[in-house]
Amino acid sequence: MKRGSAGVSLLELTIVLAIFATVAGAVFIGTSASNADQRNLQNAAVRLQADMRYAQRRAVTEGQRIGVRFDTVNNRYFIIVTGTNEILRTVYTDVNLFSVNYPQNTVSFLPRGTATPGTIMLRNGRLQLPITTTLSGGQVRIGYSERF
């Protein structure tokens, strides 16, 4: 009786499984890195938003101008008393601060709670996220994540 190739050999099955495992691993690593970038970007945005609201509350409470000054070169920002430039807090970020649209890279909160209108963009990997302030009421909003 002649033997034909009616089945799959163990070697062929092993090769197919190895190729499948390699492709699945590459897809998993790619998506987990993207999710980590998104998570880091969102965390940095929430932290910046909270710090800006802290500066606003402090301006209202103390009756003086409090600001957040951005240092895009070193990816940090300072919460300052704008009249004296006294630094109240320094915060380093894990994401890139870029495209600051505020006069002298500073958003100022007045004693009545209003703010300098403008936007700062945060970037992490291929994702970017805008943080905006509005003049009336000094609202601080996080935009939607964008890929560039």
Side-chain angles (χ1 to χ4, degrees), residues 44-140:
V46 169
R47 172 76 190 266
L48 176 56
Q49 181 184 39
D51 285 338
M52 291 174 89
R53 288 182 176 162
Y54 165 77
Q56 181 184 35
R57 284 191 308 275
R58 191 154 178 178
V60 171
T61 303
E62 296 179 8
Q64 58 184 346
R65 293 179 87 157
I66 304 291
V68 179
R69 179 168 295 146
F70 299 100
D71 178 5
T72 57
V73 174
N74 298 308
N75 290 323
R76 63 183 176 177
Y77 56 90
F78 308 96
I79 299 175
I80 61 169
V81 179
T82 55
T84 63
N85 285 331
E86 174 190 354
I87 296 174
L88 304 172
R89 184 183 296 171
T90 302
V91 180
Y92 291 87
T93 66
D94 294 338
V95 300
N96 294 329
L97 302 173
F98 74 103
S99 182
V100 179
N101 186 13
Y102 291 108
Q104 293 139 6
N105 289 346
T106 304
V107 57
S108 294
F109 293 95
L110 301 177
R112 63 180 177 265
T114 59
T116 310
T119 303
I120 180 168
M121 295 292 285
L122 305 179
R123 181 184 286 172
N124 194 21
R126 296 186 52 85
L127 301 170
Q128 60 188 20
L129 192 64
I131 308 286
T132 59
T133 55
T134 58
L135 179 62
S136 61
Q139 295 177 339
V140 182

Side-chain angles (χ1 to χ4, degrees), residues 1-7:
M1 202 164 137
K2 187 176 178 184
R3 268 184 97 168
S5 58

